[in-house]
Amino acid sequence: MDKTNNITPAIQAGVERLNEIFSDCYLIEVNTINNKEVMRFELSLPVDYLGIKRKLQIGFSENFPSVALALSIIPSPWLEWPHILDDFVCLFGGGDKAVYGDPIEVIDNTFYRLGKLISLVCESKNFSQIKNEFDSEVISYWAMQTALSQQKLILLNKPKISAPLYTLSKIGTLGREEIWISDNEKKVLEHYQWQVSPSKKKIDAGKGAFYLKLTSTPNVKLPTAFGLVDWLSSHADGNDIKALKDWLENDSNYPLRWVILEVFNSDPVSIISLLIKRKGVRDNQTFNFGLRKAKKNPRVNLIGVRDKLLITHAFILDNEVIFSRSKDLKVEDNTKNKVLLIGAGSLGSHVASQLIHSGIKDLTIVDPDSLDDSNLGRHILTIDDLGENKSIALKKYLKSCIPTALITAIPQTFYQALFYKDININSYDCIVSTSADWSTEYFIWEMKSKIKDIAFVQAWVEPFAFVGHVLCSGKTKTADARHLFDRSGNFRRKFTHWENNGYHKLPACGVGFIPGSSLSIQQIAAMVSKSVIAVLDKNEGLGCNAWNSFVTDSRKVTMAGGQYIGPEIDENIESMVIRNEWCDK
């Protein structure tokens, strides 16, 4: 191997290690960048499974080893070898990370991985294993073979079977429509009403897309639009292919049509959306599904040889997908539960968000108050919601986060909601109060003392939010925690003491506030949300009355002018949750 003198010590070490591993690797190019030489070497490879002898080129950049080796294979085995892109080799993915720092370690790690690839395609000739490697990352290979269209598809649910899908458009700019899709026409209309026009009661959705569940993985080489059906024909159920052909030829008279493929055996579910664009349609041309021109009488509409096949970004708004990475949550169980949340203030808003993100699908929020500017520092709502009722604004916000959730907003007091029969407390799996309204909580505990089939979670923060508490009682028995509070609703086992109970008056009649930092409130909300999930967990079976308390550094209480009177906390603990039980009187 040839050597040069004006190279960095790291490149020199890398070149020497390369020379130790491969005696037949030779220098083919030297370039000078910033007075430093960068080099490229070439190495002959064995004949591969296609009978082709190729060469490996190895490039050392100026910043090696902070920048990995540049590897390319000539002639390129793009779509013939797995992990080969058009002009370079990709050895790190799916959680694997390239090694940086030590030149020798970079060389060893890179060629260890490359060696496994070369062994696969040049020695084993294991065609099924090569296909498995392609199949494991097939969406990436397909996406790199054609252009990306400007539309965005939103599947409002994951179809259970292969079938045509209803489509409606949200008008975009220069053809950048957002297309809403579902196998349920009512769901598409409801989404349109939510996003565009609540007054629009009747609109005809087109059938501009087809959902196809694959039973095996098609060839890694993407076909033309004209060859799409043949490419798919042996990789889906025969009846589904027949339905796809019928839809393409008779029911989808549109210049833009999507075939959405559900990748075989993918967990969580993975899809790719292929757009068939009729010849002559411009990239920025707008087409509105659901309007009159989308409802022309069907006619034979075969795919033409000049039609184009593109990729469109597609997203599924379905719990199976939304919560697919929350492996620690029993999402399927949570989606079956109905929760009533009383209070949408600083603590309640964070609890609501955490419950919805934990898979609670049916949430009713009761709160009569509006969002004020002083709420912004601790609330999850934004300046766009100032002056709006908290429950209504929170519903809108949470629906934008988890659109599959069923959220009901009741802008009233708890007693008004009961009186007008907007809520039936016996219909909920759990009632959660973060309202700090003792009359409401007294009323619920009184009911709980007589009726066991009411699960109740009461949560609140002490002044400055250095401490927070949650009392829980499930459906296993009756319970009554009223004896834990005085006549004014003050907790008898509080951990901190403050002058005037920490209440700060404002220059208006009956107006004031109890201070508390946002960070601590979020931590207390997490404790509350976990307690709610525990109450709802049928397997956990909360057989006792739980009392959980969040405590942060007790020294901060003194610094803020209060007195800490709770359990002793080790000075090395910044914050903690203390778990206890409470007993009926």
Side-chain angles (χ1 to χ4, degrees):
M1 180 184 295
D2 296 323
K3 297 182 180 179
T4 58
N5 295 319
N6 194 26
I7 60 176
T8 66
I11 293 179
Q12 181 69 51
V15 169
E16 291 175 355
R17 182 57 178 163
L18 197 63
N19 189 33
E20 293 174 3
I21 300 174
F22 304 107
S23 59
D24 57 344
C25 188
Y26 58 93
L27 182 67
I28 60 171
E29 184 179 16
V30 177
N31 289 317
T32 301
I33 300 177
N34 295 330
N35 296 321
K36 298 294 181 182
E37 293 178 346
V38 295
M39 299 178 290
R40 193 151 54 103
F41 296 84
E42 193 167 87
L43 174 69
S44 294
L45 299 176
V47 175
D48 68 8
Y49 75 103
L50 297 171
I52 300 175
K53 188 172 180 60
R54 307 179 194 267
K55 294 182 178 181
L56 170 68
Q57 292 194 347
I58 308 158
F60 287 85
S61 72
E62 174 192 8
N63 296 318
F64 174 83
S66 297
V67 175
L69 292 171
L71 304 176
S72 60
I73 296 177
I74 301 173
S76 173
W78 163 237
L79 301 181
E80 294 171 341
W81 292 13
H83 311 300
I84 304 295
L85 303 184
D86 196 16
D87 58 354
F88 68 96
V89 181
C90 179
L91 298 175
F92 304 94
D96 298 324
K97 297 186 182 298
V99 175
Y100 301 100
D102 180 81
I104 296 176
E105 191 176 357
V106 169
I107 295 291
D108 288 350
N109 187 274
T110 299
F111 283 95
Y112 169 75
R113 295 177 179 276
L114 183 63
K116 292 197 293 184
L117 174 60
I118 299 299
S119 176
L120 174 65
V121 298
C122 293
E123 295 177 12
S124 65
K125 297 185 180 179
N126 188 334
F127 299 106
S128 62
Q129 189 175 351
I130 291 173
K131 187 178 187 307
N132 288 339
E133 287 294 315
F134 275 120
D135 291 353
S136 67
E137 299 176 354
V138 71
I139 287 182
S140 297
Y141 293 109
W142 287 339
M144 287 185 285
Q145 294 176 58
T146 187
L148 182 69
S149 76
Q150 298 187 59
Q151 295 82 12
K152 179 169 65 175
L153 300 186
I154 304 294
L155 277 74
L156 303 180
N157 62 292
K158 186 179 83 67
K160 292 182 171 56
I161 62 172
S162 299
L165 303 177
Y166 295 97
T167 53
L168 281 176
S169 305
K170 179 181 181 181
I171 307 304
T173 304
L174 295 177
R176 294 186 179 92
E177 299 94 352
E178 186 172 290
I179 313 294
W180 300 316
I181 301 176
S182 176
D183 55 359
N184 185 321
E185 186 174 17
K186 181 181 178 182
K187 185 180 287 287
V188 174
L189 176 57
E190 289 175 346
H191 193 81
Y192 183 92
Q193 291 170 336
W194 173 40
Q195 290 285 319
V196 179
S197 175
S199 62
K200 197 82 169 180
K201 300 302 181 184
K202 178 62 178 176
I203 188 169
D204 293 317
K207 288 187 177 180
F210 191 98
Y211 192 85
L212 183 66
K213 296 172 71 73
L214 297 176
T215 57
S216 58
T217 305
N219 193 292
V220 69
K221 294 183 180 180
L222 206 62
T224 62
F226 186 71
L228 178 62
V229 175
D230 288 340
W231 182 70
L232 293 169
S233 60
S234 61
H235 301 284
D237 182 85
N239 291 328
D240 292 344
I241 293 295
K242 183 177 181 300
L244 172 63
K245 289 181 179 178
D246 185 62
W247 171 77
L248 284 168
E249 295 175 3
N250 301 310
D251 296 332
S252 59
N253 181 29
Y254 311 119
L256 304 177
R257 297 178 285 178
W258 286 271
V259 177
I260 302 168
L261 306 180
E262 180 182 312
V263 176
F264 172 65
N265 206 27
S266 58
D267 181 25
V269 63
S270 297
I271 61 171
I272 186 168
S273 179
L274 304 177
L275 169 61
I276 303 169
K277 186 167 72 170
R278 189 181 297 166
K279 66 176 182 180
V281 176
R282 302 185 306 275
D283 290 341
N284 62 354
Q285 186 169 337
T286 298
F287 183 79
N288 301 328
F289 290 93
L291 300 184
R292 181 172 299 175
K293 65 180 180 179
K295 297 296 293 180
K296 292 180 180 178
N297 293 328
R299 63 178 175 82
V300 175
N301 188 25
L302 302 176
I303 301 176
V305 294
R306 295 177 59 190
D307 289 353
K308 291 183 179 180
L309 190 70
L310 296 91
I311 300 289
T312 300
H313 279 315
F315 307 91
I316 305 178
L317 304 185
D318 190 282
N319 283 338
E320 180 181 335
V321 176
I322 291 173
F323 297 106
S324 62
R325 300 186 181 184
S326 302
K327 298 298 185 183
D328 58 323
L329 297 175
K330 299 177 181 178
V331 174
E332 186 174 347
D333 292 337
N334 290 346
T335 58
K336 300 174 183 177
N337 292 312
K338 292 181 63 176
V339 174
L340 171 64
L341 176 64
I342 305 168
S346 302
L347 179 60
S349 65
H350 287 286
V351 170
S353 176
Q354 290 170 8
L355 291 178
I356 288 297
H357 283 86
S358 297
I360 298 299
K361 187 176 181 181
D362 194 329
L363 178 67
T364 298
I365 305 171
V366 178
D367 196 306
D369 296 333
S370 299
L371 188 73
D372 196 6
D373 48 10
S374 60
N375 300 139
L376 292 177
R378 304 189 300 182
H379 213 280
I380 67 171
L381 295 177
T382 70
I383 59 172
D384 294 334
D385 306 305
L386 287 172
E388 299 294 325
N389 172 262
K390 290 178 182 177
S391 67
I392 294 175
L394 192 54
K395 171 185 175 179
K396 180 180 177 182
Y397 170 79
L398 294 177
K399 284 287 287 184
S400 70
C401 295
I402 308 292
T404 56
L406 175 61
I407 301 174
T408 303
I410 301 179
Q412 302 170 357
T413 66
F414 172 72
Y415 291 108
Q416 288 173 327
L418 275 179
F419 179 81
Y420 292 112
K421 298 182 178 180
D422 290 319
I423 58 173
N424 174 11
I425 60 177
N426 294 309
S427 67
Y428 297 97
D429 296 288
C430 185
I431 301 172
V432 184
S433 176
T434 61
S435 64
D437 178 58
W438 177 235
S439 64
T440 294
E441 291 156 352
Y442 186 98
F443 175 84
I444 298 174
W445 279 122
E446 183 176 34
M447 292 194 65
K448 176 64 178 170
S449 70
K450 302 172 183 176
I451 306 172
K452 73 174 184 178
D453 290 332
I454 296 177
F456 184 39
V457 174
Q458 177 188 359
W460 69 99
V461 297
E462 295 192 15
F464 287 86
F466 296 124
V467 174
H469 301 280
V470 57
L471 298 177
C472 309
S473 186
K475 291 186 174 183
T476 57
K477 61 177 184 177
T478 59
D480 189 353
R482 288 177 290 176
H483 66 283
L484 299 176
F485 301 84
D486 64 20
R487 294 174 62 89
S488 300
N490 298 310
F491 192 46
R492 297 183 188 276
R493 302 182 185 179
K494 61 185 179 180
F495 289 2
T496 60
H497 175 75
W498 303 86
E499 184 179 352
N500 197 31
N501 287 325
Y503 190 81
H504 287 240
K505 292 183 178 181
L506 292 174
C509 182
V511 179
F513 68 96
I514 296 177
S517 70
S518 175
L519 182 58
S520 293
I521 286 175
Q522 292 178 51
Q523 292 175 293
I524 295 169
M527 175 188 68
V528 176
S529 302
K530 289 178 181 179
S531 300
V532 174
I533 298 300
V535 168
L536 292 169
D537 190 341
K538 305 298 188 300
N539 296 320
E540 185 168 313
L542 189 67
C544 62
N545 296 324
W547 167 28
N548 298 329
S549 301
F550 168 86
V551 186
T552 190
D553 188 348
S554 59
R555 291 170 295 185
K556 294 181 180 178
V557 177
T558 304
M559 293 171 61
Q563 181 183 1
Y564 181 77
I565 56 177
E568 185 177 348
I569 301 174
D570 191 290
E571 63 180 9
N572 295 322
I573 295 178
E574 170 65 25
S575 60
M576 63 185 296
V577 173
I578 302 172
R579 294 186 176 182
N580 289 303
E581 296 181 16
W582 61 272
C583 299
D584 286 327
K585 185 175 180 180

